[in-house]
Amino acid sequence: MAPVHATDVDSVTDTLGSFNIGDGGEICYFGSRSNHNLLRSAQLDKPSSLEMQRRGYDAACHQIGLALVAEDLESHLLHLFWTWQNSWQRVVARGPFLRDRAFRNGSPFGRFYSPALVSSIFALASRYSDRPDVGRDPQNPQTAGDVFAAQAKVMLLYECEAPTNTTVQALSLLALRETALDKEALGWMHIGMAVRMALSLGLHLDCSQCVEQGLLTAEEAEVRSVTWWGCYVLDKTLQHWFGPSINDPGLSYDRQNPDYRLRRRATALGCVFDRRC
């Protein structure tokens, strides 16, 4: 009998991962090492993704107030986004987004359209605009889109508890904007969050089985693909800019392990002066 190697065991167990209903009622991927892939029902005690979007929207309204965007300004910013931004760094699937926007019946929420995503689009597109009304200070072009970015960040604080495809898109666009403003730490953090959420949602995996089972439509599967590859390319672009990621297999570590003997001595010394010890 041939010996069984650890790699053989891993290759078998890795096939046991599966898509399932995760936090917020969204399709997520749970690997073979997680027992969540054995569940077949959503955890109903948690708020849905739509509920968290509503909470974020309400919080932005009450905390900072939503900027009133005239129809001509909205069309202007969307045109700039599709022409100069999404044409080379495609993160948002244009067709589904525009259809969702056109048929939302007055609601700010949709499957491919959310207030956080729209605010992120406006925040980034404002960087391409020469209109003075897109900035907090008309005399300072560096403030272009600040109001929209502030809105998006408040909303995303809530959406991150139950992320969706639009959450990943919004974070990716904010990462681009913050990096353009020389806020590398914020940009790096946003793209890192976007990648982790994308992996949690299983955007990096073939979901044709979910389409066959009726859990996803073909359009939703295509949007997931667009979002993943846009997020992936952006992450790799920023990695080359900032340096290797912690997930880079070629990254070497020279940090030594913590010296637990020092911690034990410090703990013992603390007990000498602490009457509770």
Side-chain angles (χ1 to χ4, degrees):
M1 181 177 179
V4 178
H5 299 285
T7 54
D8 298 328
V9 175
D10 289 342
S11 63
V12 172
T13 56
D14 284 342
T15 63
L16 300 178
S18 65
F19 288 97
N20 208 339
I21 305 298
D23 290 345
E26 290 294 310
I27 295 292
C28 295
Y29 177 78
F30 297 103
S32 59
R33 295 160 182 81
S34 169
N35 61 1
H36 290 286
N37 64 343
L38 303 177
L39 302 176
R40 288 295 177 265
S41 61
Q43 301 181 27
L44 301 179
D45 59 331
K46 295 185 178 181
S48 67
S49 299
L50 180 57
E51 175 61 25
M52 295 312 299
Q53 288 185 6
R54 286 175 175 157
R55 292 183 187 181
Y57 183 80
D58 292 340
C61 290
H62 289 92
Q63 293 179 21
I64 59 177
L66 295 182
L68 297 178
V69 182
E71 186 175 349
D72 67 316
L73 178 58
E74 182 176 355
S75 299
H76 169 69
L77 292 177
L78 285 176
H79 173 72
L80 291 176
F81 177 74
W82 302 127
T83 303
W84 300 108
Q85 181 58 58
N86 207 60
S87 57
W88 72 272
Q89 183 62 62
R90 190 182 180 212
V91 177
V92 182
R94 180 175 182 176
F97 175 90
L98 292 178
R99 282 196 299 273
D100 219 2
R101 172 175 172 265
F103 297 104
R104 66 185 190 275
N105 296 322
S107 171
F109 310 100
R111 187 62 179 165
F112 310 114
Y113 182 99
S114 73
L117 175 57
V118 174
S119 296
S120 299
I121 289 176
F122 289 170
L124 186 55
S126 296
R127 300 279 300 167
Y128 295 94
S129 177
D130 57 358
R131 291 180 53 159
D133 52 345
V134 298
R136 188 176 63 250
D137 180 2
Q139 304 301 321
N140 183 4
Q142 286 294 97
T143 65
D146 281 1
V147 174
F148 301 121
Q151 293 176 183
K153 290 175 183 178
V154 172
M155 297 175 192
L156 288 171
L157 285 175
Y158 292 81
E159 284 196 30
C160 286
E161 294 189 28
T164 66
N165 193 75
T166 58
T167 311
V168 177
Q169 294 171 331
L171 282 168
S172 299
L173 297 180
L174 281 182
L176 272 171
R177 182 182 185 274
E178 300 300 344
T179 303
L181 290 171
D182 293 330
K183 298 179 180 179
E184 289 87 358
L186 269 179
W188 189 237
M189 181 190 71
H190 285 318
I191 192 58
M193 293 173 64
V195 170
R196 285 299 179 96
M197 289 181 185
L199 294 174
S200 176
L201 293 170
L203 302 187
H204 61 303
L205 298 174
D206 178 19
C207 58
S208 56
Q209 185 177 3
C210 293
V211 176
E212 294 173 359
Q213 295 174 352
L215 298 176
L216 291 172
T217 65
E219 185 176 52
E220 288 173 330
E222 176 63 19
V223 171
R224 288 167 64 92
S225 177
V226 170
T227 304
W228 164 249
W229 285 113
C231 179
Y232 176 84
V233 171
L234 177 57
D235 178 56
K236 294 304 178 184
T237 301
L238 296 185
Q239 279 186 33
H240 287 296
W241 192 339
F242 299 134
S245 167
I246 194 172
N247 296 321
D248 188 346
L251 182 65
S252 60
Y253 302 90
D254 59 3
R255 171 59 59 190
Q256 297 178 352
N257 291 329
D259 190 341
Y260 292 101
R261 293 173 298 176
L262 293 177
R263 191 176 70 177
R264 285 197 296 268
R265 286 200 295 269
T267 302
L269 183 61
C271 288
V272 173
F273 299 100
D274 192 340
R275 297 179 182 272
R276 294 172 297 177
C277 293

